[in-house]
Amino acid sequence: MKIAVCLKQVPDTEARLRVNDAGTWIEEEDLSFAINESDECALEEALKIAEATEGEVVVFSLGPARVGEALRKALALGADRAVHLEDEAFAGGDALSTARALAAAIEREDFDLILTGSQSDDLGFGVTASLVAGHLALPHAWLVMGIEVEDGGTARVVREMESGKNEILRLTLPAVLEVQAGINHPRYASLKGIMQAKRKPIDKLGVEDLGLSADEVGAQGAGLEVLSVGFPDSGAAAQILEGDPASVAAQLVEKLQKEARVL
Amino acid sequence: MAGNVWVVLQHRDGKLHPIALEAITAALGLAQELGVEVEAVLLGSGMEALASQAASTGVARVHVGDSESLAEYTPGAYVGALSEALTTAAPSFVVFGHSYQSVDCMARVAHAIGAAILPEAISFESTEQGLVFTRPILEGKMHSKVRLKGEGTAVVSFQSASFEAAATDQPTSEIVPLVGDSGAWKADRELLGVEDVAGDAVDLSAADLIVAVGRGIGGPEKMEIIEDLAAALGAEIGASRPVIDNGWLPRDRQIGSSGQTVAPKLYVAVGISGAIQHLVGMKGAACTVAINKDPGAPIFTVADYGIVGDLFKILPALSAAIREAKS
């Protein structure tokens, strides 16, 4: 099977976040970046399927030069080659304009399966790959918790629903599957994998390579305009208790007894 | 003149989904800002009772797509049914309540009708810059304020608990069949069945006291201090999703949108950052305590009391203090 995996490089949100000068995104300079968690699970799922079917895994990612690191990591984990959508015009996109570019890149080849994570940990639209499926006119499923490729060109897919229930679905391939973090435990890169990754190709594609114009992608092609970002209103924030562990514990117990009256 | 606001109503077991009633409130608010009406859509099979429920929620009209092909949700049939009617109506907004079903299909609807898409908004306001929507980003640590660039239709979803449920005792509105050729509403995937993965071994929804543990615990071998705090309080143990995904606790302990919804008197969130998917499962707690090393964790914005620090130092002290207070 030939499998495409779309992955996004996202900032590590454990870090202290600052709003950038324009007020429309966070200051990226002091942050570290990693492959989005559910995308890494999608890659793991793709690698397992490719191993079982002697298939090929091609990873796609859209973003600035730093994204090369994420792609190199994916290659070290076992992907065969990578496609980097890198063009200034791609910057500032929303789900709509990013999906347009990704779909155009994926469409250049024939894939049996397109896998990605269900939601990014930064912008969290959760709909980009479903839009890609729309462009490619393929069936899709969001929040996938299990994939079993069947003989006869179908896949049996487990999809998470609310309240602890799963749907069991059958989709005709090719299809776009958006996996939920937790579907598997992604592998670690081996030293051999890291060495091999250095020789694997990363193709770069810009707007023109995709047959698109700059006003169809990135911020220009987006349906949304970000006016500002900020921290949630702290008006309703918690009463923060301060002191050493014994002191905060005593304060909390007193408040739970006398203020909240729950103990 | 702006088009009307359409709202797509989800339902389950013959009743409107609570998120559908919240979506109606959001849609009515948007319509009021624009000076237009709200048109509701119901899709399914055998829809008479549901249609009359929907007709009493204050919407101007209920469009019912009633067809065998809509008996089970599939994006193919739903998008087929919605796209023709929406293309004809050219609404200003198509509103969905955010659910695991609506996210699965809203992007395909947006693509089919060439609309912009704005998922998981939590509020909107009318400003000098037009209608401005707020949505959480960076796993809820920050918020983003966005507006729509074009004049065309936008597909918007609202996160659960962002709006009150709409009243269901309003004067009955008109019920009409959804415009379109139902022969073209075709499934694009086959539903083989539904499985229950949570089981019903632990019913946390009835618990008065809950100690919930998150990724911050770091591993299953450290669960003892959680168990000790729960024992001191006489509380049940719950968990956020990463704990379950990592196999540190069984799935029937999961609290959040994909797990159980709880409403205890006291909810102690330990090492839980507070992603929206977790918050929607515990927002009903009467009193919430958050213990987390990250002062920027969104859990502190919903908690009543917060302790910023190392849970491995705070929990033993807290368990001891509770035992002392009880003795």
Side-chain angles (χ1 to χ4, degrees), chain B residues 19-109:
Chain B
I19 195 88
L21 293 171
E22 296 174 16
I24 290 171
T25 304
L28 289 168
L30 283 170
Q32 192 175 12
E33 294 292 347
L34 299 170
V36 299
E37 294 186 319
V38 174
E39 317 254 358
V41 190
L42 267 172
L43 302 177
S45 174
M47 300 300 287
E48 267 177 45
L50 268 165
S52 61
Q53 277 181 48
S56 65
T57 57
V59 300
R61 216 159 284 105
V62 181
H63 301 257
V64 182
D66 197 331
S67 162
E68 261 309 300
S69 61
L70 299 173
E72 303 285 0
Y73 162 74
T74 65
Y78 266 50
V79 173
L82 290 171
S83 56
E84 188 174 349
L86 292 173
T87 304
T88 309
S92 53
F93 289 100
V94 181
V95 175
F96 287 86
H98 180 90
S99 75
Y100 288 9
Q101 185 190 94
S102 64
V103 179
D104 192 63
C105 97
M106 68 183 283
R108 300 300 295 255
V109 172

Side-chain angles (χ1 to χ4, degrees), chain A:
Chain A
M1 291 200 95
K2 189 170 165 185
I3 307 169
V5 178
C6 301
L7 48 89
K8 184 173 189 183
Q9 192 192 42
V10 295
D12 173 9
T13 54
E14 293 283 305
R16 202 178 147 78
L17 303 173
R18 285 192 297 130
V19 176
N20 69 7
D21 290 341
T24 53
W25 185 230
I26 48 172
E27 187 52 66
E28 290 195 350
E29 213 156 74
D30 17 309
L31 294 178
S32 60
F33 287 82
I35 298 175
N36 185 56
E37 186 181 3
S38 58
D39 294 341
E40 196 164 354
C41 293
L43 174 61
E44 175 64 33
E45 212 55 26
L47 294 172
K48 286 199 294 192
I49 296 168
E51 282 158 9
T53 58
E54 293 181 23
E56 182 187 13
V57 175
V58 185
V59 286
F60 291 79
S61 191
L62 178 149
R66 60 171 160 76
V67 167
E69 285 167 45
L71 289 171
R72 196 61 73 187
K73 181 179 176 191
L75 295 173
L77 288 168
D80 296 286
R81 56 194 172 83
V83 178
H84 185 175
L85 285 73
E86 186 186 11
D87 196 311
E88 276 179 21
F90 292 139
D94 65 355
L96 198 70
S97 58
T98 299
R100 202 174 280 138
L102 282 171
I106 292 166
E107 216 168 13
R108 293 158 53 95
E109 303 182 42
D110 288 318
F111 289 98
D112 301 301
L113 194 56
I114 295 138
L115 294 179
T116 188
S118 51
Q119 194 158 24
S120 66
D121 295 337
D122 56 356
L123 292 179
F125 287 119
V127 296
T128 307
S130 304
L131 290 168
V132 169
H135 283 286
L136 303 176
L138 297 178
H140 85 284
W142 187 70
L143 278 197
V144 168
M145 282 298 281
I147 304 168
E148 198 183 309
V149 174
E150 302 173 310
D151 294 336
T154 57
R156 185 180 179 279
V157 169
V158 179
R159 187 174 105 80
E160 188 173 290
M161 297 162 70
E162 278 108 353
S163 309
K165 294 213 168 44
N166 285 339
E167 275 183 351
I168 318 294
L169 305 168
R170 177 167 289 136
L171 281 85
T172 303
L173 302 182
V176 175
L177 302 178
E178 298 153 88
V179 311
Q180 168 77 299
I183 186 177
N184 54 38
H185 296 288
R187 66 192 67 187
Y188 293 97
S190 64
L191 184 61
K192 189 177 160 207
I194 293 166
M195 298 307 288
Q196 283 173 342
K198 291 178 181 165
R199 294 191 300 275
K200 292 178 179 173
I202 300 182
D203 293 329
K204 293 200 178 180
L205 295 178
V207 173
E208 283 172 14
D209 302 315
L210 298 176
L212 296 170
S213 62
D215 60 3
E216 294 175 282
V217 298
Q220 273 200 71
L224 305 177
E225 179 189 2
V226 178
L227 298 172
S228 66
V229 300
F231 293 92
D233 185 9
S234 59
Q239 215 185 105
I240 300 292
L241 310 178
E242 285 171 3
D244 60 41
S247 157
V248 290
Q251 289 175 56
L252 179 61
V253 169
E254 189 177 335
K255 289 193 180 287
L256 293 179
Q257 283 181 317
K258 294 183 179 160
E259 245 175 48
R261 296 175 186 277
V262 290
L263 276 193

Side-chain angles (χ1 to χ4, degrees), chain B residues 115-187:
Chain B
I117 185 162
L118 201 173
E120 263 188 89
I122 55 170
S123 65
F124 63 86
E125 59 193 328
S126 186
T127 74
E128 285 173 2
Q129 294 164 299
L131 280 173
V132 175
F133 295 79
T134 301
R135 54 186 307 277
I137 56 170
L138 297 157
E139 302 188 291
K141 283 193 129 186
M142 294 180 76
H143 284 173
S144 170
K145 289 196 185 291
V146 299
R147 70 173 169 193
L148 293 149
K149 284 165 64 181
E151 293 292 312
T153 302
V155 175
V156 181
S157 73
F158 287 99
Q159 186 53 259
S160 72
S162 302
F163 291 86
E164 300 283 329
T168 52
D169 56 357
Q170 301 296 301
T172 306
S173 48
E174 188 187 1
I175 299 173
V176 297
L178 188 71
V179 171
D181 168 20
S182 62
W185 304 346
K186 290 203 175 80

